Amino acid sequence: MPETMRRRAPRRLRTIGDIMNDIPTVKVSRYLSRHLRHRPDSIGLTLGPGGWVTVEALLAACARHRLPITREELEHVVAANDKKRFAFSPDGLRIRASQGHSVPIDLGLVPAEPPPLLFHGTVATHLDQIRDEGLKPMNRHDVHLSADTQTAVGVGSRRGRPVVLTIDAAAMAAAGHLFRVSDNGVWLVPSVPPEFIS
């Protein structure tokens, strides 16, 4: 075999796209959810007003706790998240979870008029309690509602065969219940009484 045929092909340089494809995106997303929504203190973070933390502080905390990621990898995880669970501040210097916090945080969302109907995904085992007590936020600040049934199906599917509840948001708003909407389009309300659920 000629000498030229025996040579290896030149090693291709890895692009940023290659690197991004290697990131365990789901693992990082879950890690961010846990620490930006529920346990910031466990990695030494303190959430500021609105739930914001500097990107620099987050990356340093991740590195200290065995999940070193770069700014580019963080941007990839935020952009790739199908539910847009995380958001950067307009200047790109801070990051927060869009909603779903169990720690005391005021996201600074103003009341908004909801669409006439909203939806909530659950499973059949919870229906009796929901019929009796309505929807409660459980360990979160608010009940999360979707503007479409497809999203509600996805939420309910996480726990089994989904059941989609229809919320009469127009009647709730007329009765004085305040709704807010997060940056990623999740409708938030402190609770939903049973009479507004079908």
Side-chain angles (χ1 to χ4, degrees):
M1 178 180 275
E3 183 66 28
T4 54
M5 296 295 285
R6 274 191 233 133
R7 287 188 193 148
R8 287 185 177 184
R11 194 167 162 219
R12 187 173 69 85
L13 294 175
R14 298 180 80 212
T15 66
I16 194 71
D18 295 331
I19 294 167
M20 291 304 136
N21 289 334
D22 292 344
I23 299 172
T25 305
V26 173
K27 177 182 177 183
V28 174
S29 180
R30 287 180 180 160
Y31 187 88
L32 295 178
S33 287
R34 183 167 55 252
H35 298 297
L36 293 179
R37 287 175 162 181
H38 311 297
R39 296 292 314 277
D41 57 315
S42 68
I43 59 170
L45 291 176
T46 301
L47 302 183
W52 295 105
V53 65
T54 67
V55 171
E56 182 181 353
L58 175 64
L59 295 178
C62 290
R64 283 193 311 270
H65 291 84
R66 293 182 277 180
L67 190 69
I69 57 173
T70 66
R71 169 71 192 229
E72 290 78 17
E73 291 167 341
L74 179 64
E75 288 175 356
H76 170 74
V77 170
V78 171
N81 189 275
D82 60 339
K83 295 187 180 297
K84 304 298 178 200
R85 287 186 175 95
F86 316 104
F88 288 110
S89 59
D91 61 10
L93 298 178
R94 297 174 298 155
I95 187 171
R96 73 175 179 182
S98 297
Q99 91 290 320
H101 298 77
S102 59
V103 294
I105 285 296
D106 179 359
L107 294 174
L109 303 174
V110 297
E113 184 177 343
L117 299 176
L118 289 168
F119 306 94
H120 182 80
T122 188
V123 289
T125 55
H126 296 158
L127 289 179
D128 287 341
Q129 184 176 3
I130 291 169
R131 282 188 191 104
D132 292 341
E133 302 174 13
L135 292 169
K136 296 182 176 182
M138 309 310 281
N139 65 337
R140 296 180 174 179
H141 293 182
D142 294 289
V143 173
H144 293 189
L145 303 173
S146 307
D148 61 89
T149 57
Q150 183 179 358
T151 302
V153 167
V155 171
S157 296
R158 292 184 209 149
R159 294 172 182 85
R161 175 174 264 173
V163 175
V164 175
L165 305 175
T166 300
I167 311 303
D168 189 344
M172 280 187 69
H177 295 269
L178 293 181
F179 289 81
R180 293 167 295 125
V181 61
S182 67
D183 294 338
N184 60 340
V186 175
W187 285 88
L188 308 171
V189 66
S191 63
V192 180
E195 60 266 29
F196 299 106
I197 303 170
S198 60

